[in-house]
Amino acid sequence: MTALLEVQDLTVSIPSRFGEFTAVDQLSLNVLAGEIHGVVGESGAGKSTVGSAIIGLLESPAHISAGSIRLQGDELTALGDEDYHRLRGNRISMIFQDPQTSLNPLLTIADQLVETIQQHRRIGDREARQLAMELLAETGIENAEQRLDDYPHQFSGGMRQRVVIALALCTNPELIIADEPTTALDVSVQKQILGLIRNLAEQRKVGFLLITHDIGVIAEITDRVTVLQHGKVVETGPTAAVLGTPQETYTRALMAAVPRLDTRLERFRNIVTEDKRIDGESRWAVDGASAAYASNWLLGGDKVARHHTAAVGRSTERPDNALLRVDNLDVSFGAHNRWFSKKSGFKALSDVSLHLHRGEVLGIVGESGSGKSTLAKVVVGLVSSSDGTMQFNGATLPDGRHRPRSHLARRQIQMVFQDPYSSLNNRRTVEAILTEPLLFYKLAAKGPDTRKLVASVLELVEMPQRAMLKYPHQFSGGQRQRIAVARALMARPDFLICDEPTSALDVSIQAQILNLLKDLQSNFGLTILFISHNLAVVRQMADRVVVLRRGEVVESARSEDFFNAPQADYSQQLLRETPSLDLLGSPG
Amino acid sequence: MHSGMLTFIARRLLQSVFVMLAVSLIAFSLFRFVGDPVAQMVGQETSLEDQARIRDSLGLNEPITTQFLTFAGNLATGDFGYSYRTRQPISEMILDRLPATVELGIVSLIISLLVGIPAGIYTALHRGGVLANTLLISTLVGVSIPTFVIGIFLIFVFGVQLGWLPTFGRGDVVALGWWKTNFLTLDGLRSLLLPAITLGVYQLTLTMRLVRSEMQDVMKSDFIKFATARGINRRSIHFNHALRNTLVPVITIIGLQFGGIIAFSIVTESVFQWPGLGLLFLDSIRYVDIPVMSVYLVLIALMFVVINLLVDLLYVAIDPRVRSRSEAS
């Protein structure tokens, strides 16, 4: 059987002032009709560029400098602009990552579907509408007839992605390029969308090129997979073979870095050297600064002795003597009572109780909208609660509105945010960013000592000391997240809240950051509230797990118990829907 | 939908009432406290008894709050009082001048939109093109030169040197009831052209640059990429998909611009001796005609409030997301 899509020696170059950058280097791959072919790699591997090249939408100045792309034997690279545009939608279509932004907000679903259908087929309005309705029904939208005239914002994220798929499908293309089609979705929705893609491939014999960074997704639905690194093919073949018995070092390392749902690793293997590129620079150091100095500073001089509580076997089930204790917490947003309207508001958290002992890591899991981040914000004092109490270190912890800036807990509770690109001020040097907590919390007076501390803490998070002279934008995502962790440490916290600290990062970088957090936790007995939608990541970190759903606690259990035998139906469903990595065999 | 929309409108109207009250308070203070109203009304030889009588008949001896309430009540019922200078009812003077300014404003707004929006689209779609760059640079010149210089320049070229167009006044007007219009005679239209262009140049540049930057942002968005990937034709992508989304924020600015055009037509009206509100306002300042000034102030504020309300309603009509948000609240 000849391939639907044959890509041979495809090379994409991007000319720049500093010479030509090769984004994709002699890449070859085939997609058969009815097959789902995965393209996997970390950011910068050139995955999306491959997709854009195939559909002819490379953004200038990127261009195909060599190789061929054949669709059913037709050479595409030779096509002119207009011919290529006629082919789009008609023979190749595309699904984008974020369903929130890939639909025109001002046009109804029917407008967008009918326009696309009529663009490629000469049929009347009524027929096109009928076809649109059937497609919506086929992609799993209930009451398709009534929903046709709705606007995109009236659909939920998963439903929107179904509409996007209907749009990609409405012209009967032979090939669909799906660029991270489920990355913005919750696991349960992801499962449904992946199932839909599988069905379409089988029933309509559409070929799919599925581009993703998520090994779980690849393992779940692709037939074959191509692993990319730096624009080059590392390995390609049937998914089970490539993921199960990887031949190349890079693939093996990549697999090892993926957090597994079924086991807890003490440490991840460090696979990437790229993040350490900065090491090549001339050695620059502040006098006397060292990781040991930072450790001493963090451990010593604290009024409350930090117990090294590595043993998890203690009685953490009971809330007595907990470092943080939250009782019957309610938070609602948008409740108001104005002249013309009364509103009870949206309940982000209701009746949430939990506790956390010193030295313990509590994982909070849940889908989007479950109130995970709200919980973090309430504890750290960014959002006020509407009911319930909090206790920290034995004393009442006032909510955000009543917690003055001078309150001790403002220092003791520190936070690491999800997106390291927006959580650091790009206009300030790393030194200024890291010095601020010292001065603000009056932990040190300005002077040579603060500089030594900053350098030492950088060393502690495995960054070169020289980093303090630079600005955040000069660092990669992983390095920025290290800086964010360092900033939290500068306050000498008792308690760290990590809100999705690795979900913006590549798997290899994620592994490094998780290693770092594990080290800090065991060396300093830090107490961590670890929030993530990714159950596998939580398994690696947490001693205990709390499952949130629509603002309510569904289950609260010891981590091992939870992952081995979840009690609540919802927990079981969550675990079931998380893509399985059984293909990979046991981690080595 | 209806109850949501009605509360939305009701809430906006209530806010507008507060804005108008605040402005009329300022106007009242201007009227009452900038100089003594009686002293400005009477001549030198008016006796003190007569002055006291006038003061009493004007209600200036009442408590301040009563005076303000009377003032605001009069304004609300359309009783604007009398001008110090001409002794005419101010409402008559305003109605006499209003058509000239409104017509000038509308024509210059139309000019700025008719040229500004297409030019904005063109420069957004042909980045770095020769014509696009020429447009950008020439409008930059337009926005950098003060309005009165542009006016005088236009008068010099088209009025004096070429002799094509009249340089001052409204020319022949046709009365439709109390509304005198320029639109129905050739001379009136010719007279309108130069001042309208002068007034419109600045707005034109703003509109063009705003449309350009919004359009560029929209063209980078995912839904445009997706539409391209579905093979939708370019014309529809540009005008149906991109332009609509571009216009959502542009409408607000254009609405406020129209307020600006009317409020700040003063300079243009002065250069072209255009007998509109702006000129009336200038004359009032020259003769310290405070009642006219305060009424002008209130009217301009009223206009801004009304335009803002209309812009909000337009928003609701264009953007389905705003529609459902206002229904929800």
Side-chain angles (χ1 to χ4, degrees):
Chain A
M1 186 177 169
T2 57
L4 169 70
L5 176 80
E6 283 176 273
V7 179
Q8 234 162 28
D9 295 328
L10 179 73
T11 303
V12 177
S13 312
I14 306 173
S16 76
R17 272 182 299 169
F18 312 106
E20 208 162 60
F21 171 69
T22 309
V24 176
D25 197 358
Q26 300 196 357
L27 171 132
S28 301
L29 59 80
N30 292 337
V31 181
L32 305 179
E35 181 192 53
I36 303 177
H37 190 117
V39 176
V40 69
E42 301 193 284
S43 49
K47 317 183 284 291
S48 294
T49 315
V50 174
S52 306
I54 292 171
I55 201 166
L57 287 176
L58 282 175
E59 274 177 44
S60 178
H63 62 277
I64 297 176
S65 52
S68 84
I69 302 171
R70 275 199 293 278
L71 186 67
Q72 304 262 38
D74 303 332
E75 179 60 50
L76 302 187
T77 49
L79 287 180
D81 223 22
E82 280 313 302
D83 292 332
Y84 221 128
H85 194 62
R86 255 193 297 281
L87 181 114
R88 272 177 225 134
N90 204 11
R91 299 186 63 188
I92 307 180
S93 204
M94 197 154 175
I95 301 169
F96 289 84
Q97 172 175 354
D98 189 356
Q100 310 288 337
T101 58
S102 44
L103 295 169
N104 188 334
L106 301 187
L107 297 178
T108 64
I109 301 305
D111 289 342
Q112 304 188 38
L113 276 163
V114 168
E115 183 183 18
T116 313
I117 292 170
Q118 288 183 335
Q119 188 73 51
H120 297 282
R121 251 190 285 175
R122 297 191 160 277
I123 56 174
D125 289 353
R126 187 171 308 186
E127 265 178 282
R129 217 180 132 84
Q130 180 64 30
L131 198 62
M133 199 191 77
E134 286 164 13
L135 272 164
L136 286 186
E138 186 183 344
T139 49
I141 293 194
E142 286 166 23
N143 296 328
E145 193 159 6
Q146 284 100 53
R147 304 228 61 184
L148 261 180
D149 292 311
D150 282 351
Y151 288 92
H153 71 267
Q154 289 165 299
F155 292 83
S156 68
M159 286 294 144
R160 274 193 225 189
Q161 197 63 312
R162 286 174 194 273
V163 173
V164 168
I165 291 176
L167 272 165
L169 213 58
C170 69
T171 52
N172 260 324
E174 298 147 38
L175 176 74
I176 294 182
I177 298 166
D179 193 351
E180 305 272 6
T182 58
T183 306
L185 305 173
D186 279 329
V187 275
S188 57
V189 184
Q190 163 169 303
K191 181 110 177 166
Q192 294 165 14
I193 297 291
L194 291 180
L196 175 62
I197 290 179
R198 177 86 261 173
N199 278 343
L200 292 172
E202 275 164 15
Q203 285 163 12
R204 289 184 166 236
K205 292 291 164 206
V206 186
F208 276 90
L209 189 71
L210 189 112
I211 297 166
T212 183
H213 72 285
D214 190 336
I215 310 266
V217 170
I218 293 285
E220 179 108 0
I221 73 157
T222 59
D223 300 306
R224 286 192 299 147
V225 63
T226 298
V227 183
L228 290 190
Q229 188 194 17
H230 305 317
K232 289 199 182 87
V233 174
V234 176
E235 199 166 347
T236 183
T239 306
V242 173
L243 300 192
T245 50
Q247 301 302 309
E248 299 295 323
T249 333
Y250 175 73
T251 322
R252 271 206 294 270
L254 197 63
M255 296 306 136
V258 179
R260 307 288 290 268
L261 199 54
D262 46 4
T263 39
R264 175 175 172 139
L265 296 177
E266 279 317 309
R267 279 188 74 82
F268 291 96
R269 217 187 305 158
N270 206 347
I271 60 164
V272 179
T273 45
E274 180 204 31
D275 212 33
K276 298 263 178 182
R277 224 182 260 157
I278 203 164
D279 269 357
E281 294 181 6
S282 66
R283 205 62 196 147
W284 182 95
V286 175
D287 246 8
S290 68
Y293 180 79
S295 303
N296 277 335
W297 178 74
L298 281 171
L299 285 170
D302 203 345
K303 280 149 212 117
V304 190
R306 288 166 195 275
H307 312 290
H308 183 67
T309 43
V312 187
R314 67 198 175 251
S315 61
T316 56
E317 304 308 309
R318 284 179 304 130
D320 324 330
N321 305 321
L323 177 65
L324 175 76
R325 184 173 163 179
V326 171
D327 287 305
N328 311 102
L329 195 71
D330 277 5
V331 173
S332 41
F333 290 126
H336 61 74
N337 190 351
R338 288 199 212 120
W339 296 331
F340 291 108
S341 58
K342 269 193 197 114
K343 232 169 86 176
S344 55
F346 166 72
K347 243 182 173 178
L349 289 179
S350 69
D351 201 21
V352 170
S353 300
L354 50 87
H355 63 273
L356 187 53
H357 285 275
R358 195 173 280 283
E360 191 182 31
V361 178
L362 179 67
I364 307 279
V365 299
E367 299 188 287
S368 52
S370 61
K372 309 187 291 293
S373 293
T374 308
L375 181 64
K377 287 178 188 157
V378 175
V379 174
V380 88
L382 291 172
V383 164
S384 295
S385 56
S386 38
D387 206 359
T389 56
M390 291 186 285
Q391 284 198 323
F392 184 72
N393 223 346
T396 306
L397 183 65
D399 72 353
R401 210 179 302 120
H402 305 100
R403 197 185 304 174
R405 283 161 66 97
S406 56
H407 196 280
L408 197 59
R410 291 269 186 206
R411 174 182 73 75
Q412 289 168 330
I413 305 177
Q414 290 293 317
M415 187 146 171
V416 175
F417 292 88
Q418 172 175 358
D419 182 6
Y421 290 91
S422 58
S423 66
L424 298 172
N425 187 343
N426 274 325
R427 305 254 174 261
R428 312 189 69 198
T429 60
V430 171
E431 180 173 15
I433 291 171
L434 295 185
T435 310
E436 189 170 44
L438 286 179
L439 304 178
F440 179 73
Y441 298 118
K442 301 192 173 61
L443 294 171
K446 211 174 169 69
D449 269 4
T450 58
R451 196 152 219 227
K452 190 165 145 194
L453 258 178
V454 167
S456 301
V457 172
L458 276 172
E459 193 92 349
L460 188 71
V461 298
E462 293 156 29
M463 291 282 288
Q465 295 182 19
R466 195 184 148 76
M468 65 197 280
L469 305 178
K470 301 189 174 186
Y471 290 89
H473 69 85
Q474 292 169 286
F475 298 97
S476 68
Q479 290 169 332
R480 281 163 164 260
Q481 202 61 304
R482 284 176 194 274
I483 296 169
V485 171
R487 177 176 58 183
L489 291 179
M490 293 313 288
R492 219 169 353 169
D494 289 341
F495 184 38
L496 207 55
I497 298 178
C498 299
D499 188 1
E500 303 268 8
T502 61
S503 52
L505 306 174
D506 278 330
V507 270
S508 58
I509 311 296
Q510 165 170 287
Q512 292 179 12
I513 297 290
L514 291 180
N515 278 344
L516 173 70
L517 288 173
K518 275 169 174 282
D519 289 348
L520 292 173
Q521 201 271 332
S522 63
N523 291 342
F524 304 108
L526 271 182
T527 314
I528 299 180
L529 189 69
F530 190 91
I531 295 170
S532 180
H533 70 286
N534 188 334
L535 288 167
V537 169
V538 170
R539 168 139 216 191
Q540 308 307 316
M541 293 298 299
D543 301 321
R544 280 193 310 124
V545 173
V546 167
V547 183
L548 283 182
R549 185 194 197 191
R550 295 190 198 128
E552 290 176 44
V553 175
V554 175
E555 184 167 355
S556 169
R558 292 249 323 267
S559 183
E560 292 311 299
D561 298 344
F562 173 79
F563 285 100
N564 292 327
Q567 296 304 306
D569 291 345
Y570 178 67
S571 315
Q572 291 168 3
Q573 185 197 335
L574 268 186
L575 282 165
R576 210 170 37 240
E577 280 162 350
T578 301
S580 147
L581 289 169
D582 293 345
L583 276 178
L584 275 61
S586 59
Chain B
M1 140 123 207
H2 287 292
S3 71
M5 274 306 294
L6 286 179
T7 47
F8 172 74
I9 295 173
R11 200 184 308 149
R12 289 305 316 263
L13 279 176
L14 197 73
Q15 286 169 358
S16 310
V17 169
F18 277 106
V19 172
M20 289 314 298
L21 273 177
V23 173
S24 44
L25 186 64
I26 295 171
F28 170 73
S29 331
L30 187 72
F31 168 74
R32 183 65 189 76
F33 302 115
V34 178
D36 179 2
V38 175
Q40 284 163 357
M41 259 182 252
V42 298
Q44 280 187 341
E45 56 272 20
T46 313
S47 68
L48 283 176
E49 292 84 63
D50 284 347
Q51 285 191 24
R53 200 155 38 72
I54 292 173
R55 191 175 300 275
D56 200 49
S57 72
L58 285 176
L60 292 177
N61 293 328
E62 308 273 336
I64 287 293
T65 43
T66 321
Q67 286 187 41
F68 172 63
L69 288 178
T70 321
F71 177 84
N74 286 345
L75 279 181
T77 52
D79 178 3
F80 296 159
Y82 291 83
S83 158
Y84 290 164
R85 178 168 62 97
T86 63
R87 317 276 159 181
Q88 273 179 305
I90 295 172
S91 51
E92 271 179 31
M93 295 168 71
I94 298 262
L95 283 185
D96 190 42
R97 298 296 193 99
L98 189 67
T101 298
V102 169
E103 287 186 357
L104 177 63
I106 287 176
V107 172
S108 65
L109 183 74
I110 290 174
I111 290 176
S112 74
L113 294 186
L114 280 186
V115 183
I117 292 181
I121 297 171
Y122 183 86
T123 47
L125 296 181
H126 299 86
R127 284 179 77 174
V130 178
L131 183 57
N133 280 347
T134 316
L135 270 171
L136 283 173
I137 293 169
S138 56
T139 51
L140 191 65
V141 174
V143 80
S144 319
I145 299 175
T147 311
F148 68 90
V149 177
I150 293 176
I152 290 168
F153 173 76
L154 288 177
I155 289 175
F156 180 74
V157 174
F158 294 100
V160 180
Q161 292 291 318
L162 297 170
W164 290 352
L165 294 166
T167 55
F168 68 91
R170 288 184 82 180
D172 293 340
V173 291
V174 174
L176 301 171
W178 58 271
W179 186 284
K180 297 198 198 84
T181 178
N182 271 43
F183 292 151
L184 295 176
T185 64
L186 188 64
D187 186 49
L189 286 173
R190 274 159 41 94
S191 306
L192 198 54
L193 212 51
L194 285 187
I197 291 173
T198 309
L199 191 55
V201 164
Y202 185 76
Q203 319 298 332
L204 185 158
T205 312
L206 276 185
T207 309
M208 186 186 99
R209 291 190 172 252
L210 190 70
V211 168
R212 172 172 172 267
S213 68
E214 289 293 336
M215 184 95 169
Q216 279 174 353
D217 284 351
V218 173
M219 288 304 290
K220 280 188 212 133
S221 67
D222 279 356
F223 66 84
I224 294 296
K225 280 190 201 144
F226 188 33
T228 318
R230 297 201 304 270
I232 305 285
N233 71 46
R234 306 273 184 195
R235 175 175 289 273
S236 171
I237 288 179
H238 293 160
F239 295 99
N240 192 22
H241 292 264
L243 185 58
R244 270 198 207 208
N245 280 280
T246 302
L247 289 183
V248 173
V250 169
I251 281 175
T252 326
I253 307 294
I254 288 175
L256 294 178
Q257 269 189 40
F258 184 63
I261 286 181
I262 300 235
F264 308 117
S265 65
I266 296 173
V267 176
T268 309
E269 289 190 8
S270 158
V271 169
F272 289 93
Q273 284 301 299
W274 188 262
L277 288 177
L279 212 53
L280 176 68
F281 184 61
L282 276 185
D283 285 344
S284 311
I285 292 177
R286 192 176 308 146
Y287 296 101
V288 204
D289 198 347
I290 287 174
V292 178
M293 282 155 67
S294 46
V295 168
Y296 180 80
L297 186 67
V298 172
L299 278 184
I300 294 293
L302 179 68
M303 195 186 62
F304 268 100
V305 165
V306 170
I307 288 173
N308 260 328
L309 193 63
L310 291 179
V311 165
D312 281 347
L313 292 179
L314 214 54
Y315 241 80
V316 176
I318 288 188
D319 196 333
R321 289 166 296 182
V322 181
R323 219 175 297 155
S324 58
R325 215 175 302 144
S326 65
E327 276 164 44
S329 66

